[in-house]
Amino acid sequence: MSRTKILVTGGAGYIGSHAVVELYEAGFQPVIIDNFVNSRESALDGVESILGVKVPLHRIDCNDAEALRAVFAEEGNVRGVIHFAAYKAVGESIEKPLEYYQNNVGSLLTLLTVMREFGVEALVFSSSCTVYGVPEALPVTEQTPTKQANSPYGATKQMCEDILRDVAAAPANKLRTILLRYFNPIGAHASAKIGELPLGVPQNLVPYVTQTAAGIREQLTINGDTYDTPDGTNIRDYVHVVDLAKAHVVAVQRLLAGTGETVETFNVGTGRGNSVLEVVQAFERATGVKLNYRIGPPRPGDVPAIYADVTKSVEILGFQTSASLEEALASSWKWQQHLADSQ
Ligand SMILES: NC(=O)c1ccc[n+]([C@@H]2O[C@H](COP(=O)([O-])OP(=O)(O)OC[C@H]3O[C@@H](n4cnc5c(N)ncnc54)[C@H](O)[C@@H]3O)[C@@H](O)[C@H]2O)c1
């Protein structure tokens, strides 16, 4: 029996590559679109080595409507799309707002236009907990009001969500979409053949932790310990990337089964909040490696604490994470060691 084709934009990236693996293992035929603006083709060697097959790749830009049309035409019978392709660095988005709006919002508009032309109706969209801004109460549910975004990156995610709601609400478009609001993805595939490839100095905690443990960075700087949290450091909901990838499989299955509403939004997190100091301690416990760290000043724009209420994803999407923080951190460390060995 032939596999159901799912187009995965940004499929060579951190989350996308893990989703490609989980989709294939669940019986789908993923087809990757990527322009490698923030990834390397070597990530796909890792995917091939895990799956034992090459996943089809189209090296194109999602802003290029003609190139997208050619992919839909060549592939034929695409049943759904997962749209990961975007720029994702909050700080950089403040420096380069035009590029962020163009790439994140522009690529979605182009993709939706071409999907409509080819009668492709199912879309899973990568949203983010940044849409909640600084929440008034924790944990945040999908009903928690979204706030004025504190960066152009966050604004692009809000705009994309609004666009998708409007497009799906117009019956002529026949779009069905699931918006997944990711909390903080960490970790790597158990094989250590794929993982996060931060280009340059990592902006996220866990790659910084593993690079410090590996001696690539001298010291981890914790951005502030005077927040209104039990130990004063930021609290986040760290979700294992393989769990997150599996949420996409469940979302695609739900869209293709046509069981849900036209537009649905789900938090994808563990429901647990962990402070930066707890992450440091969990990393040391999980790996036996001591971390050299210091406390620095708070980083502008950082939300003191956020974590997900996952009741809706559990009850309606039927999705629950399974990895512990220690397991996720151990997998990040294994990936870091693999990177060191392969260089
Ligand atoms: N990693 C996180 O912390 C996080 C949290 C919440 C939401 N997200 C969202 O999840 C998605 C995936 O994130 P990630 O961490 O895997 O990022 P990533 O940068 O590793 O992956 C994105 C991929 O998209 C590709 N890409 C970017 N623009 C493109 C374009 N115009 N055409 C074709 N390919 C393009 C990049 O080359 C890269 O391979 C993004 O939309 C991001 O905003 C990420």
Side-chain angles (χ1 to χ4, degrees):
M1 220 177 73
S2 70
R3 289 168 171 261
T4 302
K5 252 183 211 179
I6 305 296
L7 219 61
V8 184
T9 77
Y14 173 42
I15 307 169
S17 57
H18 290 83
V20 163
V21 167
E22 296 305 319
L23 281 168
Y24 190 85
E25 287 184 340
F28 290 98
Q29 177 56 65
V31 174
I32 298 171
I33 286 182
D34 209 297
N35 65 356
F36 298 99
V37 70
N38 196 38
S39 53
R40 299 203 187 102
E41 214 156 327
S42 59
L44 301 182
D45 298 339
V47 170
E48 184 179 347
S49 156
I50 293 167
L51 297 177
V53 294
K54 230 182 174 59
V55 175
L57 162 71
H58 299 269
R59 181 190 269 272
I60 64 155
D61 188 321
C62 292
N63 291 287
D64 183 342
E66 275 315 310
L68 269 182
R69 283 188 188 105
V71 171
F72 278 83
E74 184 189 329
E75 290 294 339
N77 204 23
V78 170
R79 294 286 313 284
V81 180
I82 307 180
H83 187 43
F84 290 106
Y87 292 149
K88 65 164 179 176
V90 170
E92 186 186 60
S93 77
I94 297 166
E95 307 298 320
K96 299 179 174 175
L98 196 50
E99 285 81 354
Y100 269 69
Y101 286 110
Q102 175 58 58
N103 199 39
N104 295 9
V105 181
S107 71
L108 177 68
L109 294 173
T110 307
L111 176 66
L112 288 172
T113 306
V114 177
M115 282 176 66
R116 185 173 59 180
E117 288 169 16
F118 283 82
V120 179
E121 297 170 2
L123 178 78
V124 180
F125 178 72
S126 299
S127 190
S128 162
C129 66
T130 52
V131 299
Y132 295 116
V134 182
E136 267 154 36
L138 289 169
V140 288
T141 74
E142 292 80 354
Q143 273 70 52
T144 298
T146 56
K147 293 275 184 57
Q148 167 78 44
N150 55 1
S151 71
Y153 168 75
T156 69
K157 292 297 174 190
Q158 291 180 341
M159 284 179 192
C160 287
E161 285 201 0
D162 288 343
I163 290 166
L164 286 165
R165 279 187 211 99
D166 287 346
V167 173
N173 288 320
K174 296 204 177 114
L175 177 74
R176 282 171 294 112
T177 183
I178 291 183
L179 318 179
L180 296 180
R181 291 178 175 163
Y182 313 157
F183 283 67
N184 287 56
I186 61 167
H189 192 263
S191 65
K193 289 177 175 170
I194 52 173
E196 190 170 8
L197 262 184
L199 306 173
V201 180
Q203 300 298 309
N204 295 334
L205 174 65
V206 172
Y208 216 108
V209 163
T210 56
Q211 289 192 5
T212 306
I216 299 168
R217 314 256 158 228
E218 206 181 320
Q219 196 174 40
L220 167 72
T221 303
I222 294 177
N223 300 315
D225 67 349
T226 54
Y227 288 98
D228 186 14
T229 61
D231 67 23
T233 63
N234 289 140
I235 290 178
R236 295 287 180 271
D237 185 334
Y238 294 97
V239 53
H240 195 307
V241 68
V242 174
D243 279 333
L244 175 56
K246 287 181 177 156
H248 294 78
V249 175
V250 179
V252 165
Q253 286 165 337
R254 183 172 173 84
L255 284 171
L256 296 185
T259 43
E261 309 285 318
T262 320
V263 185
E264 292 179 311
T265 307
F266 297 103
N267 285 338
V268 189
T270 63
R272 292 185 306 262
N274 287 107
S275 74
V276 177
L277 282 174
E278 283 171 345
V279 171
V280 167
Q281 288 151 7
F283 180 84
E284 292 183 340
R285 267 199 312 277
T287 64
V289 183
K290 277 266 163 247
L291 276 173
N292 175 18
Y293 70 87
R294 71 175 190 99
I295 308 291
R299 191 167 60 170
D302 272 346
V303 172
I306 188 161
Y307 54 96
D309 182 313
V310 293
T311 313
K312 187 179 172 197
S313 344
V314 172
E315 289 179 358
I316 297 179
L317 190 58
F319 169 76
Q320 199 157 17
T321 59
S322 64
S324 68
L325 179 62
E326 280 81 358
E327 283 164 343
L329 291 167
S331 72
S332 295
W333 181 229
K334 194 172 163 195
W335 165 244
Q336 178 68 57
Q337 289 170 306
H338 163 85
L339 277 180
D341 291 345
S342 62
Q343 272 160 14

